[in-house]
Amino acid sequence: MPSEALLERLRKVRAVILDGDGVLFTGRVFVEPGRGEVMKERSLIDGQGISLLRAAGIRVAFFSGEATGFVEAVAEKLNRLPSVASGAWPPIAVVTGREGKDKASAAGEWLKGEGIEWSDSAAMGDDLSDAELLERVGLAACPVNAHPIIRGQCHFVATHGGGDGAIRDFADALLGARGLDPRALARR
């Protein structure tokens, strides 16, 4: 059972920023000579978690240090869901190519554009390039396999690894703190 302090942080969240490699994806890449990175691995259960967040009215953004097309492809797929097309859910924002202080600065710009304060936001990251962002948000989260330095600064540590259910763990905690039953929310 989460502490009352964690529940309070979970209840305040209006926006979630998710890192790419190590959070949305496992961090494993398949490389082909002459083509570079050709495939990354992710769990569909995390996609369902993202949909549940959006159905609960929580804004979602993907922030990745690299612009490889992988994060963009997942956002494009999730932004084609009927609930987005109908206007019921806002699209997932995507910001790539910014790391460290620049990633945190870009997140601040996005939050400001959404009318959301840092204290009402959460981020999930897994490594040192996410540290500054995680320091600024009201609720810092990470997968269980995040670097120990990152785990040490997070309020919420998922029971699953990045790209393998960590986002769903976080989504379930956010919904649970609000008393929302995921079965009662739109999933597409």
Side-chain angles (χ1 to χ4, degrees), residues 54 77-89 186-188:
R54 295 163 82 192
K77 176 184 177 184
L78 295 176
N79 284 338
R80 285 194 311 261
L81 293 174
S83 293
V84 179
S86 73
W89 298 351
R187 291 184 293 269
R188 296 188 55 75

Side-chain angles (χ1 to χ4, degrees), residues 39-62:
M39 194 176 351
K40 293 187 180 189
E41 180 179 35
R42 75 178 188 94
S43 171
L44 295 179
I45 197 167
D46 285 331
Q48 185 68 75
I50 292 166
S51 290
L52 292 169
L53 291 174
R54 295 163 82 192
I58 297 171
R59 300 300 295 241
V60 177
F62 296 162

Side-chain angles (χ1 to χ4, degrees), residues 13-169:
V13 172
R14 295 179 49 216
V16 172
I17 299 165
L18 301 169
D19 180 42
D21 294 331
V23 174
L24 183 61
F25 299 106
T26 62
R28 293 181 191 92
V29 295
F30 296 84
V31 179
E32 190 174 293
R35 290 183 57 205
E37 294 179 3
V38 295
M39 194 176 351
K40 293 187 180 189
E41 180 179 35
R42 75 178 188 94
S43 171
L44 295 179
I45 197 167
D46 285 331
Q48 185 68 75
I50 292 166
S51 290
L52 292 169
L53 291 174
R54 295 163 82 192
I58 297 171
R59 300 300 295 241
V60 177
F62 296 162
F63 275 65
S64 181
E66 295 184 314
T68 60
F70 291 102
V71 168
E72 298 89 338
V74 174
E76 183 180 315
K77 176 184 177 184
L78 295 176
N79 284 338
R80 285 194 311 261
L81 293 174
S83 293
V84 179
S86 73
W89 298 351
I92 295 169
V94 178
V95 177
T96 59
R98 297 176 78 171
E99 294 187 31
K101 289 182 181 179
D102 203 30
K103 184 186 262 190
S105 174
E109 292 167 17
W110 177 71
L111 289 169
K112 185 177 180 181
E114 297 296 320
I116 298 171
E117 299 292 327
W118 280 108
S119 60
D120 297 330
S121 68
M124 182 174 260
D126 70 310
D127 213 339
L128 299 176
S129 63
D130 304 313
E132 186 162 336
L133 173 61
L134 294 170
E135 287 171 6
R136 290 193 187 182
V137 295
L139 176 57
C142 68
V144 70
N145 59 339
H147 190 279
I149 291 173
I150 298 302
R151 281 197 316 270
Q153 77 178 81
C154 286
H155 306 102
F156 177 89
V157 178
T159 58
H160 289 88
D164 197 24
I167 295 171
R168 181 59 181 272
D169 289 344

Side-chain angles (χ1 to χ4, degrees), residues 2 7 10 156 168-178:
L7 286 170
L10 288 162
F156 177 89
R168 181 59 181 272
D169 289 344
F170 191 39
D172 287 346
L174 287 161
L175 297 175
R178 290 168 166 76

